[in-house]
Amino acid sequence: LSSFQGCGNDTVSADEVTMPSLMDVNFRSVIPRIISSAPRFPWKQSDPNFLAMDALLRACKGSTVGNNFDLVAPFFISHLSTAAYKTSNKGSDGTNGNSLEATTMTKDELAEEYSLRISLMALLQTILSDESFSQTLNLSQRKQLSVVSSPTTFSTQFTTDVLLSLVLPNLVWKAGGMASALRKLAAAALFSLLSHYHSKNQAEEEEEEGARTLLDPERISHLIPILHSNLEDTESTTRELSCVCLSMVLEQCSNDTFDGIWESNTRVLDTLYPRLLDLLDDSHNPVRMAACQVLEAFLFLDHSSSSSFKLGLSSLENVTSSLLVQLDDPDREIQESVFRVLLVLLELQ
């Protein structure tokens, strides 16, 4: 950041404690100076301006980034969104490619593109995991923040829509190790975003407001199929994160929304519970326990559903028998997770 440290101060202290606060104060002055001397988006990962933007966003608090998201959003959109990629990567005939693999890029160029996306998704996940970022998504807490913010601060709903548009396309399955790494980071970023609206420590009114802001029926209908597809990922961390995210989504899902998904996308929900039962035998215990959380939420919703597509007696018997087998597992945490799901089944009888 040496090229941009003159905004408001002549020097920047090397002390790690004072530097973030200085960057917070001068955030809206520094970003325009980085962008003004840079080439058009998208940048390369080795560009000095890219490195400066990365360092600035990592040095600042999440609340600073959230309150000035109008300046930050174009940077992420231009490098992470599918639409931006199609615009900047045209084939030799001038037509747009439909995916990373559908372009005329060489292997080295493709690896560079994935490396850039992985770096930015990791940066986005770091920002979203900052607890102070969630305060900028809560209108009642924004006024308590002492950070210099934008006079045109994005609304909570619009900020959430932008973040989801960046994360969800990168959760779609593609072949290759780098694509797998990108999916894992995208799942972690989605988990961090959903967690802000799902915190058990918030008051009940705040939870309900957050759920209405983020998880409206359209978003839920879009999230469930994508998360469902990632339950079969080869990476155990991605499977676990997908399960946890799916359980949070289902817990915020209303009965009407659930009925609508049953009727409009029957295959996704009809194949969800068998896949969750398969995950009870996963080789990684955290995945198995996360699958139990999803089963709890799914069974509650299915029981309350008025749809004609809901689980029948034979399906419920299959679920029960699979859970009873898992009770013999030597791991006590697995036993407790499975037992909680069985208790749900008993309560719903």
Side-chain angles (χ1 to χ4, degrees), residues 260-277:
I261 297 174
W262 260 124
E263 296 173 5
S264 63
N265 205 342
T266 305
R267 182 180 176 277
V268 170
L269 292 184
D270 201 33
T271 57
L272 178 57
Y273 93 88
R275 180 57 192 149
L276 292 173
L277 295 183

Side-chain angles (χ1 to χ4, degrees), residues 315-327:
S315 297
L316 292 174
E317 289 177 347
N318 185 28
V319 172
T320 304
S321 61
S322 298
L323 291 170
L324 290 174
V325 170
Q326 299 297 328
L327 279 179

Side-chain angles (χ1 to χ4, degrees), residues 69 124 128 157-171 189-190 193-194 213-216 219-220 222-223 226:
F69 199 68
L124 184 62
L128 292 177
Q157 181 173 344
F158 187 74
T159 299
T160 301
D161 286 339
V162 171
L163 290 170
L164 288 175
S165 71
L166 297 174
V167 172
L168 296 187
N170 291 290
L171 273 172
L190 179 61
L193 179 61
L194 291 174
T213 301
L214 176 66
L215 299 180
D216 62 38
R219 292 189 185 98
I220 291 176
H222 190 47
L223 278 166
I226 294 178

Side-chain angles (χ1 to χ4, degrees), residues 105-238:
M105 298 175 71
T106 65
K107 288 185 178 180
D108 289 341
E109 290 172 335
L110 186 61
E112 183 180 357
E113 175 66 27
Y114 266 120
S115 179
L116 174 67
R117 285 172 172 254
I118 288 171
S119 175
L120 281 175
M121 190 60 70
L123 174 59
L124 184 62
Q125 194 278 327
T126 300
I127 294 171
L128 292 177
S129 62
D130 189 328
E131 185 62 31
S132 67
F133 181 85
S134 65
Q135 296 176 346
T136 66
L137 300 179
N138 189 322
L139 294 177
S140 64
Q141 295 181 3
R142 269 186 184 172
K143 298 178 181 179
Q144 303 174 11
L145 299 174
S146 58
V147 187
V148 178
S149 61
S150 164
T152 57
T153 301
F154 287 172
S155 67
T156 299
Q157 181 173 344
F158 187 74
T159 299
T160 301
D161 286 339
V162 171
L163 290 170
L164 288 175
S165 71
L166 297 174
V167 172
L168 296 187
N170 291 290
L171 273 172
V172 177
W173 190 90
K174 292 183 177 68
M178 299 191 77
S180 176
L182 181 60
R183 279 196 308 278
K184 184 195 298 186
L185 285 168
L190 179 61
F191 167 75
S192 296
L193 179 61
L194 291 174
S195 296
H196 292 318
Y197 299 87
H198 193 264
S199 175
K200 299 299 183 181
N201 297 324
Q202 291 181 330
E204 183 177 354
E205 293 79 10
E206 291 178 340
E207 284 188 0
E208 292 177 354
E209 179 182 353
R212 286 195 299 270
T213 301
L214 176 66
L215 299 180
D216 62 38
E218 183 178 354
R219 292 189 185 98
I220 291 176
S221 300
H222 190 47
L223 278 166
I224 290 179
I226 294 178
L227 292 172
H228 180 288
S229 67
N230 279 278
L231 296 180
E232 300 182 15
D233 199 276
T234 55
E235 282 279 348
S236 61
T237 303
T238 304

